[in-house]
Amino acid sequence: MKTYSNYVATWVMLFLACLASLLFGAGTLELGQAFAVLTGQGTEDARYVVMELRLPRLVIGMATGLALGVAGALLQTLTRNPLAEPGLLGVSAGSAFAVSLAILLGASTATLTTLISQVGALAGCGLVVAATRIQGAGQDPVRLVLAGATLTGLLLSLSSLLMLIDQRAADEIRFWITGSLAGKRWDQLTATMPSLLLAGAIVIGVARPLASLALGEKVAMGLGHKPGLIRLMVIVAVALLVGGATALAGPLVFVGLVVPFAARSLAGADIRKTLWLCLPIGPAMIIAADTLSRLLVTPSEMPLGVITAVIGAPVLMVIIRARRIPAL
Amino acid sequence: MNSSLDSTDTGQTPLHLTSGHWLWRSTTRPWSLLINKRSIVVNATLTLILLACALSSLALGTLSITIPDVILALQGKGTTMHTFVLEELRGPRLLAGALAGASFALAGCLMQTLARNRLATPGIIGIDNAATAFAVASVVGVGISAAPHTMALVGAAVATALAFGLAGATGTRGYRFIIAGLAIGAVSGAITQVMLSSVALDDANAAYPWTVGSLNARAPAAVNALIIGLIVGYTLSLFLNRALITLQLPEPVTASLGTRSGRVRVAGLILSVLLTGLAVSVAGPVGLIALLGPELARTISRPGSIPLTASALSGAILMVLSDLAGRLVFSPLEIPVGIIAALAGSPYLLWILLHKSPDINR
Amino acid sequence: MNQFMTMSKINSPRAPLAAQSLMMSHGPHTIIPHLDIELRTGEVTAIVGPNGCGKSTLLNGLARIHKPRQGTIVLDGADIHTLPARDVARKLALLPQDNSAPEGLTVTDLIRFGRHPHQSWLSQWSEDDERAVRKALTAADVGDLANRPLDTLSGGQRQRAWIAMSIAQETQLLLLDEPTSALDLGHQIEVFELIRTLASQGNTTKSSPPM
């Protein structure tokens, strides 16, 4: 019963966040006018703002939150590390660097950006999983996070180097690298959608074997699963999700930490239940954060990445304080 | 080892207890000095290398000056052009770089020692980022009028206090402190980004050196503050050295040898924060120097010693070299020193993280 | 046999260390509810008990590493927490279990750490330091290993080196926490004999604490 009410509560939260996202904004549009649009009335201007500016932004935010939340849950289960978050471990940085490189080289179409972003995420993800298999360091969540932070720093420096070379690219990269949903259009979503759907299919297929892999490699093999294959599929899914999300909204840190953490604390250890709960919680977090980002410093906008960092950092501390993590 | 000055060999036992040291004992008073030969050799070598790097840094650049010309100019006999380039451009820059590098590395060495963890450097635990955020706040003018270096110090102190508070534990040892710092660093970095993206582009460009670490942003006042801070910090850390050495042993042994480790930790931490804040206000967040300098110093120093001087010298060398590389590699385009240090240092840090024990004793 | 903690007192005119109504706790857990203990001179006192009964906690309390929740610890007639750390370190040495030292440190380097409370900026290596280290090398029978790095030694040799460090501290009291736990039977006996010798020497030889 408790689980059931949890599901309902999280979906209600998501609904409220969506409503707020459509109703509130940085523009001069009044609340009543926005609401009128939702009920099928409203002026032409109001209709434009809500349907053409806020709605795409809402849907893209949902896709981003969904992708990052699920990716975080997968990566944490695979590495058995509650701190394994794509942003912290450098997966997002990998895709961000790839995109920066692409922007510098003149790539502009959304499809290409998505693909490049996913290739970068795949490389980052491969590095993370390779690192977890190093004896000693791999079992140490904190060391892994520090390694991720180092990798992120390294890639950021490389991006800075790129920005020095080309001023035009620099402005574009600087805007994008903070993480934002501002000014996103439908075509960006259509470019990312196929790969996100593919990732979803993989996740559905891999959820059950992954749950048994969480019990140990030998148990999984005993149940007839192939650990190597599961691992590979999870890596591909995480890369597709994180790469897609990064292409949409820029590198967002901590989302993949906060969402699965909230889901786990509601659902318990079962990865499948956790994944189901990530579905409403991920989008809800991003949309709420995005709405906040529009309201806090009106008329300008606070980058989304800042809000997620400010929300995420305390959660990181809670996780650290609650668990006895092996000493460094 | 040869020890001709070693007077400790009493002839009763053929054992040299102080081999590798120079020993001096007063005949009238209970005074004695024991100086390690290896640390003398190490520090002398590092000083020579630093001098060589400094000369190269003065000589090389978009305008190359030969070493003899540099020396002539330093003696006041050079051409006007040379004198201008050396005295107005490269000299102050070299000084700022060397001082900031030395400060970073000394701060790193102190913090690593008192946390007994080679990962516990100011950069990793977010002090650099917080200092930067505060300094940027004063550069872009978010309603604060204090000088950047004052603000950087405040930021460093706030970050450290927060890291302690969030870690919820006394003592700097342990991963909680590091993760708390990581979180603070992430938030500070984000706040810096906000400030830069929310102001006009000119201001953002003015503050850009702060975000990556560069010697272009140095203000004379900040350099002066750093000079004083480094002299004071270095002297005080030498006084702490005797107690710091015992911190290498397990905590109960340290206490049993009469060291008040709590007080030593607090003193060391304050020094470390001070040095980092001042260095950030001159060079921005070049945090990896605080990791690489002591690491280099430790590998060439005698086991069981705290290489404070060697760390400072190594840090200065690394900083001067990074800056030189940044000026030369893509010349005439100049790569900020922070980027060079990150590119060179991150792979090494990754290697430490994944292959070595973070315990400072290993 | 392994669950031993040994205290030996060397060369003391009167009972130098006593705990009165001692209560020690670790966070919310009370480890030692109430204890009065007085340690007599020139003998070896062994404290025996199962794992987790508070032996190490007691030693840490006696050596002023942890503050007791209640009660006082008296060293030479004064409350130990009112004495300067350095004075305590000249009277009382503690050797905990499971010690680790910086890589590459030699046996002599380690033993020299024991002289720390007797040294200062102006007195970095006095003749007393020299004599104490030589004595410790001989007493713990590590003279042959003097220049070997600790990490090349066997467990028993390393433990003797650590004991030598505590001996070099030249204190009237030596608190050893399970000094033989890492050792095989032969080395255990060696260490116990060493401890007994130290206690008996304490009665006969007069060491001169440098002031």
Side-chain angles (χ1 to χ4, degrees), chain B residues 8-10 13 15-19 21 23 25 30-35 238-239 241-243 245-246 248-253 255-260 302-304 359 361-362, chain C residues 64-65 83 85-86 89 92-94 96 99-105 108-110 112-114 116-117 119-127 130 133-134 137 146-147 162 165 169:
Chain B
T8 59
D9 191 2
T10 53
T13 328
L15 188 65
H16 290 254
L17 290 183
T18 53
S19 60
H21 290 79
L23 176 68
R25 279 195 192 128
W31 291 348
S32 53
L33 288 179
L34 192 65
I35 296 164
L238 284 187
F239 275 105
N241 187 39
R242 245 177 65 77
I245 283 178
T246 63
Q248 298 175 98
L249 298 177
E251 181 73 45
V253 178
S256 164
L257 290 176
T259 300
R260 299 226 168 197
R302 186 173 57 98
D359 188 329
N361 286 347
R362 291 288 158 270
Chain C
R64 60 162 270 169
I65 298 195
L83 293 170
R86 199 176 151 94
L92 177 72
L94 168 75
N99 294 307
S100 66
E103 199 173 65
L105 208 70
T108 312
D109 289 338
L110 178 68
R112 289 221 310 253
F113 272 107
H116 187 264
Q119 293 169 334
S120 68
W121 272 103
L122 282 175
S123 173
Q124 298 182 349
W125 190 247
S126 68
E127 277 161 28
E130 175 106 23
V133 170
R134 281 188 196 281
L137 277 167
N147 290 321
W162 279 97
M165 185 203 78
Q169 208 172 329

Side-chain angles (χ1 to χ4, degrees), chain B residues 6-271:
Chain B
D6 192 339
S7 66
T8 59
D9 191 2
T10 53
Q12 297 158 1
T13 328
L15 188 65
H16 290 254
L17 290 183
T18 53
S19 60
H21 290 79
W22 279 304
L23 176 68
W24 170 84
R25 279 195 192 128
S26 161
T27 46
T28 50
R29 291 176 171 275
W31 291 348
S32 53
L33 288 179
L34 192 65
I35 296 164
N36 186 261
K37 288 180 196 167
R38 180 154 159 190
S39 58
I40 298 283
V41 172
V42 164
N43 289 333
T45 313
L46 287 174
T47 309
L48 286 179
I49 296 175
L50 177 59
L51 283 178
C53 294
L55 269 183
S56 324
S57 176
L58 289 176
L60 299 173
T62 32
L63 170 77
S64 276
I65 308 173
T66 61
I67 300 277
D69 282 349
V70 169
I71 294 168
L72 274 181
L74 289 181
Q75 290 167 340
K77 297 174 200 156
T79 64
T80 325
M81 180 66 173
H82 288 172
T83 311
F84 171 77
V85 168
L86 293 181
E87 283 185 2
E88 299 299 318
L89 303 177
R90 290 186 196 162
R93 188 187 179 101
L94 170 69
L95 185 69
L99 291 171
S103 277
F104 273 126
L106 185 57
C109 183
L110 284 169
M111 195 171 276
Q112 287 176 330
T113 307
L114 54 91
R116 292 185 163 110
N117 188 324
R118 55 154 53 95
L119 297 177
T121 58
I124 289 184
I125 66 168
I127 296 182
D128 284 18
N129 275 355
T132 305
F134 275 67
V136 168
S138 82
V139 171
V140 302
V142 191
I144 305 158
S145 56
H149 60 275
T150 319
M151 290 297 289
L153 266 183
V154 173
V158 166
T160 317
L162 269 179
F164 268 111
L166 287 174
T170 52
T172 51
R173 191 173 194 181
Y175 52 88
R176 261 191 199 169
F177 185 65
I178 294 178
I179 288 289
L182 198 74
I184 292 164
V187 173
S188 309
I191 291 172
T192 306
Q193 294 286 353
V194 176
M195 289 189 289
L196 292 186
S197 61
S198 63
V199 296
L201 202 61
D202 284 349
D203 289 341
N205 281 338
Y208 172 73
W210 286 106
T211 61
V212 291
S214 160
L215 291 174
N216 282 340
R218 57 179 205 276
V223 176
N224 291 340
L226 178 60
I227 293 175
I228 297 166
L230 186 57
I231 291 172
V232 172
Y234 177 67
T235 314
L236 291 179
S237 67
L238 284 187
F239 275 105
L240 270 186
N241 187 39
R242 245 177 65 77
L244 288 175
I245 283 178
T246 63
L247 280 188
Q248 298 175 98
L249 298 177
E251 181 73 45
V253 178
T254 309
S256 164
L257 290 176
T259 300
R260 299 226 168 197
S261 47
R263 285 187 197 176
V264 174
R265 286 226 167 81
V266 171
L269 195 66
I270 291 173
L271 284 182

Side-chain angles (χ1 to χ4, degrees), chain A residues 134 137 142-143 145-147 149-150 154 157-158 160-161 164 178 254 306 309 313 316-317 320-321 324-325 327-328, chain B residues 117 119 124 166 175-176 178-180 182-183 186-187 190 193-194 212 335-336 339 342-343 346 349-350 353-354 356 358:
Chain A
I134 292 174
V142 176
R143 247 203 272 183
V145 169
L146 283 174
T150 311
L154 178 64
S157 299
L158 282 171
S160 304
L161 201 59
L164 279 173
T178 344
F254 290 121
V306 174
L316 179 65
M317 288 315 300
I320 285 285
R321 295 187 65 152
R324 219 188 111 56
I325 290 171
L328 263 170
Chain B
N117 188 324
L119 297 177
I124 289 184
L166 287 174
Y175 52 88
R176 261 191 199 169
I178 294 178
I179 288 289
L182 198 74
V187 173
Q193 294 286 353
V194 176
V212 291
I335 315 292
I339 292 182
L343 292 182
S346 300
L349 175 56
L350 277 176
L353 280 165
L354 297 176
K356 287 180 95 171

Side-chain angles (χ1 to χ4, degrees), chain A residues 294-319:
Chain A
R294 277 179 274 165
L295 294 180
L296 283 179
V297 284
T298 42
S300 69
E301 280 193 24
M302 190 173 251
L304 181 58
V306 174
I307 309 239
T308 61
V310 171
I311 297 174
V315 173
L316 179 65
M317 288 315 300
V318 169
I319 298 176

